[in-house]
mmCIF file of all heavy atoms in Angstrom:
data_model
loop_
_atom_site.group_PDB
_atom_site.id
_atom_site.type_symbol
_atom_site.label_atom_id
_atom_site.label_comp_id
_atom_site.label_asym_id
_atom_site.label_seq_id
_atom_site.Cartn_x
_atom_site.Cartn_y
_atom_site.Cartn_z
ATOM 1 N N SER A 15 -13.479 12.708 7.723
ATOM 2 C CA SER A 15 -14.721 13.376 7.258
ATOM 3 C C SER A 15 -15.494 12.408 6.376
ATOM 4 O O SER A 15 -15.078 12.128 5.245
ATOM 5 C CB SER A 15 -14.360 14.639 6.485
ATOM 6 O OG SER A 15 -13.538 14.318 5.373
ATOM 7 N N ARG A 18 -21.177 12.333 3.017
ATOM 8 C CA ARG A 18 -22.643 12.296 3.162
ATOM 9 C C ARG A 18 -23.288 13.264 2.185
ATOM 10 O O ARG A 18 -22.767 14.376 1.994
ATOM 11 C CB ARG A 18 -23.076 12.685 4.580
ATOM 12 C CG ARG A 18 -22.692 11.658 5.639
ATOM 13 C CD ARG A 18 -23.195 12.124 6.992
ATOM 14 N NE ARG A 18 -22.844 11.167 8.043
ATOM 15 C CZ ARG A 18 -23.143 11.353 9.329
ATOM 16 N NH1 ARG A 18 -23.799 12.454 9.690
ATOM 17 N NH2 ARG A 18 -22.783 10.457 10.216
ATOM 18 N N THR A 69 -114.052 -23.828 -27.844
ATOM 19 C CA THR A 69 -112.988 -23.994 -26.854
ATOM 20 C C THR A 69 -112.261 -25.304 -27.123
ATOM 21 O O THR A 69 -112.721 -26.137 -27.925
ATOM 22 C CB THR A 69 -113.571 -24.007 -25.439
ATOM 23 O OG1 THR A 69 -114.517 -25.069 -25.338
ATOM 24 C CG2 THR A 69 -114.262 -22.687 -25.110
ATOM 25 N N GLN A 96 -143.284 -69.254 11.760
ATOM 26 C CA GLN A 96 -142.826 -70.009 12.918
ATOM 27 C C GLN A 96 -142.768 -69.102 14.149
ATOM 28 O O GLN A 96 -142.528 -67.899 14.040
ATOM 29 C CB GLN A 96 -141.430 -70.595 12.653
ATOM 30 C CG GLN A 96 -141.417 -71.589 11.511
ATOM 31 C CD GLN A 96 -140.012 -72.126 11.253
ATOM 32 O OE1 GLN A 96 -139.084 -71.766 11.949
ATOM 33 N NE2 GLN A 96 -139.897 -73.003 10.258
ATOM 34 N N GLU A 157 -76.414 -43.154 111.549
ATOM 35 C CA GLU A 157 -76.800 -42.187 112.594
ATOM 36 C C GLU A 157 -75.758 -41.063 112.666
ATOM 37 O O GLU A 157 -74.549 -41.287 112.567
ATOM 38 C CB GLU A 157 -76.876 -42.896 113.944
ATOM 39 C CG GLU A 157 -77.499 -42.034 115.037
ATOM 40 C CD GLU A 157 -77.599 -42.794 116.341
ATOM 41 O OE1 GLU A 157 -77.283 -44.005 116.337
ATOM 42 O OE2 GLU A 157 -77.993 -42.179 117.347
ATOM 43 N N GLU A 213 -102.882 38.376 78.224
ATOM 44 C CA GLU A 213 -104.128 37.645 78.413
ATOM 45 C C GLU A 213 -104.496 36.879 77.148
ATOM 46 O O GLU A 213 -104.348 37.406 76.045
ATOM 47 C CB GLU A 213 -105.259 38.621 78.773
ATOM 48 C CG GLU A 213 -105.048 39.309 80.108
ATOM 49 C CD GLU A 213 -106.189 40.256 80.426
ATOM 50 O OE1 GLU A 213 -107.115 40.345 79.581
ATOM 51 O OE2 GLU A 213 -106.159 40.872 81.498
ATOM 52 N N ILE A 220 -115.885 29.948 63.686
ATOM 53 C CA ILE A 220 -115.926 30.774 62.475
ATOM 54 C C ILE A 220 -117.063 30.266 61.620
ATOM 55 O O ILE A 220 -117.019 29.153 61.102
ATOM 56 C CB ILE A 220 -114.583 30.707 61.714
ATOM 57 C CG1 ILE A 220 -113.439 31.170 62.613
ATOM 58 C CG2 ILE A 220 -114.643 31.506 60.431
ATOM 59 C CD1 ILE A 220 -112.063 30.968 62.028
ATOM 60 N N LYS A 221 -118.104 31.040 61.453
ATOM 61 C CA LYS A 221 -119.269 30.664 60.665
ATOM 62 C C LYS A 221 -119.269 31.447 59.362
ATOM 63 O O LYS A 221 -119.023 32.652 59.349
ATOM 64 C CB LYS A 221 -120.560 30.950 61.432
ATOM 65 C CG LYS A 221 -120.746 30.053 62.647
ATOM 66 C CD LYS A 221 -122.092 30.322 63.311
ATOM 67 C CE LYS A 221 -122.308 29.418 64.525
ATOM 68 N NZ LYS A 221 -123.617 29.680 65.164
ATOM 69 N N TYR A 277 -144.065 -47.449 8.249
ATOM 70 C CA TYR A 277 -143.200 -48.513 8.758
ATOM 71 C C TYR A 277 -143.370 -49.773 7.917
ATOM 72 O O TYR A 277 -144.496 -50.207 7.643
ATOM 73 C CB TYR A 277 -143.523 -48.826 10.219
ATOM 74 C CG TYR A 277 -142.729 -49.991 10.761
ATOM 75 C CD1 TYR A 277 -141.361 -49.842 11.011
ATOM 76 C CD2 TYR A 277 -143.327 -51.222 10.995
ATOM 77 C CE1 TYR A 277 -140.621 -50.901 11.505
ATOM 78 C CE2 TYR A 277 -142.586 -52.281 11.485
ATOM 79 C CZ TYR A 277 -141.231 -52.125 11.739
ATOM 80 O OH TYR A 277 -140.497 -53.179 12.212
ATOM 81 N N ALA A 317 -124.372 -58.942 -14.924
ATOM 82 C CA ALA A 317 -124.894 -57.635 -15.375
ATOM 83 C C ALA A 317 -125.918 -57.855 -16.455
ATOM 84 O O ALA A 317 -125.958 -58.894 -17.148
ATOM 85 C CB ALA A 317 -123.753 -56.774 -15.877
#
Side-chain angles (χ1 to χ4, degrees):
S15 59
R18 291 181 180 178
T69 58
Q96 297 179 1
E157 190 178 354
E213 295 180 0
I220 302 172
K221 292 184 179 180
Y277 176 72

